[in-house]
Amino acid sequence: MEIFKDPVTFQKRMLELKRAGKSIALVPTMGYLHAGHASLLDNARPRADVLVVSIFVNPTQFGPSEDLESYPRDFNRDCALCAAHGADVIFAPDAELMYAPDRSVWVEETKLSRGLCGKARPTHFRGVTTVVAKLFLLSQADVAVFGQKDAQQALVIRRMVRDLNFPIEIVVSPLIRDTDGVAMSSRNTYLSPSERERARVLSRSLAAAREALLAGRPLDEVRQETLSAVTERADRVDYVEFLDSETLEPATAETGEVLIALAAVFGHTRLIDNTLVRLPQA
Ligand code: AMP
């Protein structure tokens, strides 16, 4: 496995591989890898000759009061997981090399990134689109794999690729859960045992909401029940939203596929979870 820390050296190597006729798949991550990330690597592996994993805790997507400093890191363990899942190249840049001190260009999506996580984290998606655009250009990837865990992020990236004509295929891979139903996340490491127990309400209420919608129950009623269930167990609820899975507009009885998206805080940890439901047509 080749490991690069310097963006310029990394890009040179990727251009060299490209010129040699190799296709390239990219899996962008912030490290502290778990089985959810591993499933992305497994999904990406057969899609290209060269599998690149980026590991970068991107400062521009963290707000001033967020967990940039304390975000968990374990580079050696990450390398072992990448090797075990067929990665050829790891790109783990230093933040100082990724961003010039006088940088002045951003890539910003202005519609899909406004609601959901964009409300509580107003500068988050600008940081994500900017770093992902840089990663696409540096890696020269033909295909990139993202997780459905971050449903809004996947939609925002797809929109960026469409609107800026990036020559890259975006694949969205299913959300992976732990055995207790909690969606896998590097941030789960912050949870105390009792917070973790309470956090199970997210997957449980998503499953209940999904069943209720499939049984034809009205959206508003199901949304109220989901909100009550999450409110009872979480320390703070950021949102409980039922949206059109493509436009992120509020879902109606006519919506084809509903994205049920939740964000709530347990202790000091903000968790997100979601599920997709195709409404039974009357
Ligand atoms: P992160 O390291 O949290 O920025 O995540 C890197 C990529 O892994 C993103 O595309 C995430 O959506 C994806 N990912 C994180 N957790 C999961 C999960 N539990 N299931 C599927 N994909 C995930």
Side-chain angles (χ1 to χ4, degrees), residues 220-239:
D220 278 349
E221 223 174 272
V222 179
R223 185 181 172 280
Q224 272 313 320
E225 285 171 11
T226 311
L227 178 61
S228 307
V230 179
T231 305
E232 199 176 300
R233 304 288 280 166
D235 293 309
R236 193 184 85 218
V237 181
D238 264 3
Y239 58 75

Side-chain angles (χ1 to χ4, degrees), residues 28-30 34 36-37 40 146-147 149-150 153 174-176 184:
T29 81
M30 297 206 301
H34 50 64
H37 297 111
L40 266 52
F146 291 84
K149 161 83 191 334
D150 298 88
Q153 170 174 279
L175 191 160
I176 305 297
M184 290 215 169

Side-chain angles (χ1 to χ4, degrees), residues 27-40 54 56 61 71 145-151 153-154 173-178 182-188:
V27 178
T29 81
M30 297 206 301
Y32 211 68
L33 304 178
H34 50 64
H37 297 111
S39 73
L40 266 52
S54 64
F56 181 50
Q61 72 191 66
Y71 195 84
V145 180
F146 291 84
Q148 177 61 22
K149 161 83 191 334
D150 298 88
Q153 170 174 279
S173 207
L175 191 160
I176 305 297
R177 301 182 178 284
D178 229 322
V182 174
M184 290 215 169
S185 164
S186 309
R187 289 190 170 99
N188 289 347

Side-chain angles (χ1 to χ4, degrees), residues 125-145:
F125 286 109
R126 184 180 78 159
V128 170
T129 41
T130 301
V131 81
V132 170
K134 284 167 73 72
L135 291 170
F136 286 175
L137 292 168
L138 290 166
S139 68
Q140 299 289 308
D142 301 282
V143 54
V145 180

